Each structure stands twice: as C-alpha cells, then as structure tokens.
C-alpha cells in the first residue's frame, strides 16, 4: 500500500502537498475494511499484529497473533456470521478487549455490519440499540466472576425476540442449550477465503457506533467502510506509523478511538499492538506495570487519555528502560497543559494530541510528530478532508468562516463524515450541505493548527459570558494533590449559572477547598471563571474509555444548590432532592418534603422559581 513519500508531514502545507501529488485512491486502494487486513497479511505475513496481555506481570506468557493469523481469524468469523445470519447480517457484541473481540468486530464488518456495545450499559439500553440497528446476532462474554456481561446478554435476549446468542467463554464450560460457542465454531470455517461472496465495501454500512455515556438513550452513528478507511489512513500518515512501531492499546473496541486510531490505522502500517488486558487501562495492574511493559515489548508509542496519563504520573518509572518510546498520543478529551508537561518530563518524549469524533469515522486532526508541537493544539486536519471554524448565527445556523484566533464552531466535511444517524429524526442540523457541525468550540492559528476551546454543550454561561471549563480544570489540576478536575455550571438565579469544580485527589493526598481556591485563582485568567465552590470527591465519573463524564456532575451541582435553597426555606435538611438530565431546560429536579413540612410547599416552589431547571415539589404518598 503506497504510503511512501519523500517528506515528513509537519504542517498544513505538507498535508496539502501530500494531497496534490496523488489521489486518495492512488495512495490507499483499499475498498473495504477487509482489504486492510488482506493487504497487511500480504506485506507483513509473519509480523506480530497483536500481543494479548492478561495480567501484565513480567513472567506472563502472552498470546501472540501474526498478521496472517489475524486475517485468518477475521475470515473465519466473517464466514461464521454469514452462515448463521444470512446476507449482510448485523452483529452486536458486548465484550472486553480480547483477541476474539478483534475477530468479531472486523469479521462482522466484513460479512455485514457491527454494533459494538459498551458493556457498562444497562440491558434495556442494549436491547434498544439492538432493535434500532436491526441486529439479530449478539456475541457476549460468558459467565465471569467479575463481569456481569453474560447476565446482561441473557436479559437482552428475553427483551429482543429472535435474537441469536453467541458466547465467548474463557473456560472450557459448554454454553447453555441453544447458544453457539464462538471459539470452537471458528475452527469449522474456512480461514483462507470468504465463502459468501464479496465483503462489504465503500459506502456500504460497516458499523453503527453508539454515542453518549451510560445514561439516556444513545444515538447510533453510521460508519461506512469509506468513513473508516479515510480516517484510519489519515491517522497512519500524520502519525507516520510503520511496521517498526509497537503501541500499547488500553482502549475498548466499542469506542472509535480503540477501533480506528488504535486499530485500523495501526493495521494499515503493520504496527504491533500490545493489548493491555481485557479491562484495558481500567485494570490497576496495567497502570502499575506500565513502564515495565514499555521496556519488555520495546514499545515505541505510548500515552493514553488524559485521566490515564494523570494516573501514570503517580507510578515511578524506576529502573524501567523506556528509551524505545518515540512519542506519546493523547486523545478522547483535552489534555490539561500541566499533565502534558509533567508526562513529557517523566518520559522524555513529547505528547502529540489528536481530535476524533464518532461522527467523523473516528479521526479529524492530529499533531504530527515531525512538526513543531504546541501544547493544547490537536494539530492539522487529516489528508483528503476539510475543516473550518465557522461563526454561529443567532438562529443556530453556521455563518462565515472565522479569522485566525477567533472562536467559532468546528465543522468537518469529506469522506470521513458519517452519512448520518441510524434514526433519521436525530439528524436535524447535523449535516447541512455536506458540512457537519462538530459541536466543538474551536479556533485556528495562522498556520492552520486547530485548538479546541471546549464542547459547546460544556460551556458555562455566566450572565451571558461564555466560560471555557478547561481553563479552570487546567489550573486546578496543576495542584500537586490533584489527580483530576471537572468544572461545570451550577444553577444561579441571577447569573444563570456559576462555575463550580469537582476535584479528585491523588492517593494519600489532602487539600482543602480554600487551599485549592488560593492556588487556582491566580492561574485562571478571568475572574468570572473563578469557581464559586470546590467539591472534593472520591472519584470523578468517566466513560468506558476514561473520558470525564459531566452530566452526573451537572446534576449533582444542581442537587447541592437545591438542597441549600430548600434548607434555608424550611429550616431543616429533612428533604430529598433528585436531579436528572432532561426536560426543556436540561435538568429536572424532584424535591420531596416530609409530610410535616407540607405548609412550605408553596414557599419552596417560589424559592426555586427563576432557576434554569425544571422542578416539582412533592409530598410522600399518604
């Protein structure tokens, strides 16, 4: 596959030159995701594709899979799915990171389409996704002492009539009656060729990836083969991956970062992927043994999401030889400058950020290792796509392109952009005239570097003034006792909302709210962004990929405010307050007063009037 070029890509001018010299088809002839694995097996037949770590201890005997074996496993899986599912079947899976998970995902995309599912979702949500995607096969991990995946799968099968269950078991125990066992089944199918005809390709659907966290009804984003190939190719080129590289991958395959950048981009170039246990970097052993794993497998590319990098800062490198590292990658969320600086000081290698989005095939832009790195920038757009920062009109429509350094909305167009959501009613305003509104506030510098100023929905609006929560978080995370910080808006009757900050501390550390305030305020450029309150908590909620998940924090901030207001009105804290995301104004609160406080219902309602949330005050049932 002709990735070769006579120059490293350092900046946007190099990206444009790269595009002008050859067409995308000339550089990347793959028509299907399956072509990527077929070409890789031809070019790197005996090269290690995957090393599967289960524990990460030094004497572990990992499972090793070559590119030839990877192709054979995918081919067998595709033939299996086509046999039991018919023409272009939909295959959902609820699995941790395993070698077999790779076979399932890419085999599903080859035979039909995949539906990767976050195993933290509840059965009702999983059933909703399966029915919405018109899926009839569900592959799930068998009974496990720590994970309840199989129990969820059984419940889902009860909710979705006709759903076929396929079990992947880590033991020799036979599956229940009527359930197929994936691993033994594969041996019955051809691993040398596809027996059902041509694989899915080009603009055919390869997968549906769900957005959202662990609550609410997630949306299904359509991925075509062309979406994924375009994004993956851009990752390969801008990060300059090669078959000499070894990369750690602790991301789940239900997330586009683990699938595209830490998957297809690597396979295009023949990279050796070290899978960091079934639980990924959620496994404490992977954090504790990370530097030794770098040494043992001569890893050239490391890093992780910002929360993982922050955790690794607490683990001494010790006598581990990490000189094999070329650079580190950070993505999925904006990396606080302090974390990047400390991580670079620890490893002696630079961190190069990237920007991805489920609706854009998984990748949009990358800070290339060959170029001058600027902390806080997610780099330059991928080849063969277009990005622009546009003004947002009062009616919500997109306006003219912004000047350099002017904040607007990031838009993306090109073959990495999704055709839309599976449910068309969710597409309102998503893509207009081929241009996708990415939902990120952003700006560019004079060279075309992209900087993310925050998610539009995460912006804190204080009396009409937009406050970027990242500016608060960067300042607070700089405190030596802090491992993570998340700033959100707390309702305020006068200002609409005021910034507050949730803080998690490093193990054994202690700090007071006043000490955090004294530390952070001089480091936050504008006074309106100074948090009204600091809430020190045991943990900050994250998504399955380790990205800070703010909806529960926004609900908690509203709950704290409401409890204070109601206590002031009633003179007692004998109230129950619950807040959930939803309603016309973003949050819905229910205040339950004990029966003996019934005389205060009208007073409480009056006190809550004027806040930017929906509410109702109720008494317990008689």
């Amino acid at each position: 596959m002709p990735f070769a070029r006579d120059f490293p890509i350092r900046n946007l001018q190099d990206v444009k030159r790269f595009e002008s010299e050859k067409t995308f088809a000339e550089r990347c002839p793959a028509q299907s995701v399956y072509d990527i694995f077929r070409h890789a097996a031809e070019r790197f037949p005996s090269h290690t594709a995957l090393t599967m770590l289960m524990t990460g201890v030094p004497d572990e005997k990992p499972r090793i899979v070559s590119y030839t074996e990877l192709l054979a496993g995918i081919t067998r899986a595709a033939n299996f799915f086509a046999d039991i599912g018919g023409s272009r079947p939909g295959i959902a899976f609820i699995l941790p990171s395993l070698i077999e998970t790779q076979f399932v995902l890419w085999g599903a995309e080859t035979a039909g389409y995949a539906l990767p599912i976050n195993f933290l979702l509840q059965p009702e949500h999983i059933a909703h996704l399966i029915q919405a995607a018109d899926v009839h096969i569900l592959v799930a991990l068998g009974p496990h002492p720590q994970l309840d995946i199989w129990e969820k799968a059984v419940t889902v099968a009860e909710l979705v009539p006709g759903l076929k269950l396929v079990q992947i078991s880590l033991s020799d125990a036979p599956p229940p009656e009527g359930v197929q066992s994936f691993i033994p089944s594969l041996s019955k199918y051809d691993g040398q060729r596809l027996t059902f005809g041509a694989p899915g390709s080009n603009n055919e659907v390869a997968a549906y990836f769900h957005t959202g966290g662990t609550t609410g009804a997630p949306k299904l984003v359509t991925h075509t083969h062309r979406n994924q190939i375009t994004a993956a190719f851009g990752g390969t080129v801008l990060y300059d991956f090669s078959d000499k590289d070894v990369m750690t991958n602790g991301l789940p395959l239900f997330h586009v970062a683990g699938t595209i950048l830490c998957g297809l981009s690597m396979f295009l170039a023949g990279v050796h992927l070290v899978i960091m246990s079934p639980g990924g970097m959620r496994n404490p052993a992977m954090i504790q043994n990370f530097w030794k794993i770098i040494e043992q497998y001569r890893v050239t590319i490391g890093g992780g999401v910002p929360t993982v990098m922050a955790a690794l800062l607490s683990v001494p490198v010790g006598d581990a030889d990490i000189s094999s590292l070329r650079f580190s990658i950070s993505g999925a969320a904006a990396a606080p400058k302090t974390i990047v600086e400390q991580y670079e000081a620890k490893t002696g290698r630079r961190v190069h950020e990237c920007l991805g989005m489920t609706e854009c095939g998984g990748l949009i832009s990358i800070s290339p290792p060959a170029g001058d790195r600027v902390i806080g920038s997610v780099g330059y757009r991928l080849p063969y796509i277009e990005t622009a920062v546009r003004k947002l009109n009062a009616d919500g429509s997109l306006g003219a392109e912004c000047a350099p350094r002017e904040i607007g909305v990031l838009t993306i167009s090109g073959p990495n952009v999704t055709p839309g959501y599976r449910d068309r009613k969710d597409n309102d305003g998503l893509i207009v005239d081929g241009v996708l509104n990415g939902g990120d506030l952003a700006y560019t510098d004079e060279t075309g570097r992209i900087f993310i100023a925050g998610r539009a929905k995460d912006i804190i609006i204080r009396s009409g003034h937009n406050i970027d929560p990242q500016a608060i978080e960067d300042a607070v995370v700089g405190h030596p006792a802090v491992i993570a910080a998340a700033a959100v808006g707390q309702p305020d009757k006068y200002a609409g909302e005021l910034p507050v900050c949730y803080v998690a501390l490093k193990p054994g550390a202690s700090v007071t709210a006043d000490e955090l305030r004294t530390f952070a305020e001089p480091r936050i450029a504008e006074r309106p962004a100074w948090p009204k309150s600091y809430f020190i908590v045991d943990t900050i909620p994250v998504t399955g990929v380790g990205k800070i998940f703010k909806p529960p924090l926004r609900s908690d901030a509203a709950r704290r405010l409401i409890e204070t207001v109601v206590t002031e009105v009633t003179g007692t804290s004998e109230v129950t307050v619950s807040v959930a995301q939803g309603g016309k104004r973003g949050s819905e609160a229910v205040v339950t007063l004990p029966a003996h406080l019934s005389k205060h219902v009208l007073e409480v309602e009056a006190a809550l009037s004027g806040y930017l949330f929906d509410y109702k005050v109720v008494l317990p049932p008689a």
Side-chain angles (χ1 to χ4, degrees), residues 13-155:
Q13 287 69 36
D14 287 342
V15 172
K16 293 178 178 178
R17 177 182 166 192
F18 181 79
E19 294 169 327
S20 68
E21 290 182 348
K22 290 183 179 179
T23 66
F24 182 86
E26 290 172 326
R27 292 199 182 276
C28 183
Q31 300 295 303
S32 71
V33 166
Y34 186 72
D35 283 345
I36 290 176
F37 296 97
R38 186 168 55 82
H39 294 158
E42 291 171 357
R43 297 167 66 214
F44 318 108
S46 60
H47 191 63
T48 299
L50 302 168
T51 292
M52 179 73 229
L53 303 182
M54 298 300 287
T55 65
V57 299
D59 60 351
E60 178 178 355
K61 300 296 183 185
R63 183 178 172 190
I64 297 173
V65 174
S66 71
Y67 270 91
T68 296
E69 292 166 333
L70 176 59
L71 175 64
I74 293 167
T75 303
R76 287 192 175 95
N79 288 331
F80 168 63
F81 290 138
D83 183 32
I84 69 170
S87 177
R88 293 287 181 262
I91 299 97
F93 65 84
I94 318 172
L95 295 167
S97 293
L98 301 167
I99 296 295
E100 284 73 23
T101 311
Q102 300 278 344
F103 296 164
V104 169
L105 170 59
W106 307 121
E109 292 200 3
T110 299
Y113 58 89
L115 176 63
I117 295 178
N118 182 347
F119 50 75
L120 298 178
L121 289 174
Q122 294 305 307
E124 295 76 15
H125 284 139
I126 296 172
H128 167 77
L129 292 171
I130 285 174
Q131 291 174 315
D134 194 25
V135 160
H136 301 289
I137 300 170
L138 173 60
V139 186
L141 182 71
H144 188 278
Q146 282 85 44
L147 300 173
D148 62 351
I149 290 175
W150 184 247
E151 290 77 8
K152 287 183 178 180
V154 171
T155 301

Side-chain angles (χ1 to χ4, degrees), residues 239 302-306 309 328-335 340 351-355 378:
Y239 271 133
V305 299
M309 290 200 301
S328 294
I329 293 174
S330 180
V340 171
V351 174
H352 290 267
E353 294 186 66
C354 61
L355 176 66
V378 293

Side-chain angles (χ1 to χ4, degrees), residues 67-290:
Y67 270 91
T68 296
E69 292 166 333
L70 176 59
L71 175 64
I74 293 167
T75 303
R76 287 192 175 95
N79 288 331
F80 168 63
F81 290 138
D83 183 32
I84 69 170
S87 177
R88 293 287 181 262
I91 299 97
F93 65 84
I94 318 172
L95 295 167
S97 293
L98 301 167
I99 296 295
E100 284 73 23
T101 311
Q102 300 278 344
F103 296 164
V104 169
L105 170 59
W106 307 121
E109 292 200 3
T110 299
Y113 58 89
L115 176 63
I117 295 178
N118 182 347
F119 50 75
L120 298 178
L121 289 174
Q122 294 305 307
E124 295 76 15
H125 284 139
I126 296 172
H128 167 77
L129 292 171
I130 285 174
Q131 291 174 315
D134 194 25
V135 160
H136 301 289
I137 300 170
L138 173 60
V139 186
L141 182 71
H144 188 278
Q146 282 85 44
L147 300 173
D148 62 351
I149 290 175
W150 184 247
E151 290 77 8
K152 287 183 178 180
V154 171
T155 301
V156 169
E158 294 171 351
L159 296 172
V160 183
L163 185 66
K164 296 179 182 178
L165 285 183
V166 177
Q167 185 183 92
I168 292 181
S169 177
L170 299 182
S171 70
D172 295 328
E177 185 178 352
V179 175
Q180 298 211 46
S181 184
F182 181 76
I183 295 174
S185 294
L186 287 197
S187 62
K188 304 174 185 177
Y189 291 86
D190 195 330
Q192 302 300 311
R193 66 183 184 89
L194 299 176
T195 56
F196 56 85
S201 63
N202 292 317
N203 293 321
E204 290 183 274
V205 175
Y208 293 106
F209 279 84
H210 62 78
T211 62
T214 56
T215 62
K219 300 175 184 177
L220 287 174
V221 180
T222 307
H223 273 202
T224 67
H225 288 263
R226 182 56 52 204
N227 295 156
Q228 293 191 347
I229 292 169
T230 303
F233 177 80
T236 304
V237 170
L238 284 190
Y239 271 133
D240 198 21
F241 296 140
S242 79
D243 60 326
K244 305 296 190 295
D245 281 317
V246 181
M247 182 178 180
T248 56
N249 182 5
L251 295 169
L253 287 179
F254 61 73
H255 192 279
V256 289
T259 301
I260 305 302
L261 177 60
C262 297
L264 286 185
S265 290
M266 304 293 165
F267 299 135
L268 274 164
V271 174
H272 170 191
L273 275 184
V274 180
I275 302 176
M276 304 291 279
S277 86
M281 299 306 284
R282 285 176 169 266
N283 181 345
M286 294 297 110
I287 297 291
Q288 293 303 314
N289 298 324
F290 187 77

Side-chain angles (χ1 to χ4, degrees), residues 83 123 151-152 218 242 257 259 273 294 313 355 359 362 373 392 483 513-514 538 540 576 584 589 618:
D83 183 32
E151 290 77 8
K152 287 183 178 180
S242 79
T259 301
L273 275 184
I294 298 288
L313 290 176
L355 176 66
E359 289 84 352
R373 191 282 320 265
L392 190 63
I483 194 170
D514 286 341
D538 292 335
I540 290 178
T576 301
K584 295 180 179 179
V618 299

Side-chain angles (χ1 to χ4, degrees), residues 420-593:
Y421 295 114
R422 168 83 182 193
D423 189 337
R424 293 187 176 184
K425 75 175 186 297
D426 293 327
N427 288 328
D428 185 35
L430 176 70
I431 302 171
V432 179
D433 297 328
V435 176
L436 181 142
N437 181 339
D440 283 313
L441 297 177
Y443 64 92
T444 61
D445 65 10
E446 291 73 14
T447 72
R449 281 191 192 90
I450 299 170
F451 295 79
I452 300 302
R455 290 293 293 170
K457 64 183 179 182
D458 286 340
I459 289 296
I460 301 165
I461 304 176
R462 177 176 183 168
S463 298
H465 178 69
N466 289 351
I467 296 171
D468 180 3
Q470 188 180 340
I472 301 169
E473 294 157 2
D474 285 351
V476 176
V477 166
H479 192 285
V482 175
I483 194 170
V488 298
Q490 184 179 63
D492 181 79
K493 190 171 290 191
Y494 172 75
E497 54 185 3
L498 295 173
V500 296
C501 190
Y502 287 79
V503 180
L505 304 183
K506 295 176 181 177
S510 64
V511 68
T512 66
D514 286 341
E515 288 169 340
L516 287 173
R517 182 174 289 106
T518 300
F519 176 86
E521 286 180 354
R523 292 167 171 81
I524 300 174
E526 54 177 2
R527 189 181 184 94
W530 290 2
K532 174 189 176 185
S533 301
Y534 289 87
F535 304 131
I536 298 172
V537 294
D538 292 335
T539 58
I540 290 178
V542 295
T543 65
V545 75
K547 184 177 179 179
I548 289 175
F549 187 55
K550 290 189 175 181
L553 300 181
R554 284 192 281 268
S555 294
D556 185 75
R559 177 190 61 79
R560 291 172 185 259
L561 177 278
I562 294 168
E563 286 179 347
T564 299
V565 170
V566 175
T567 298
E568 290 175 352
V569 170
T570 63
T572 178
S573 58
E574 296 179 62
V575 296
T576 301
V577 178
S578 64
V579 180
Q581 296 293 297
K584 295 180 179 179
R585 294 189 287 182
S587 294
E588 297 176 304
V590 177
V591 180
T592 304
L593 299 178

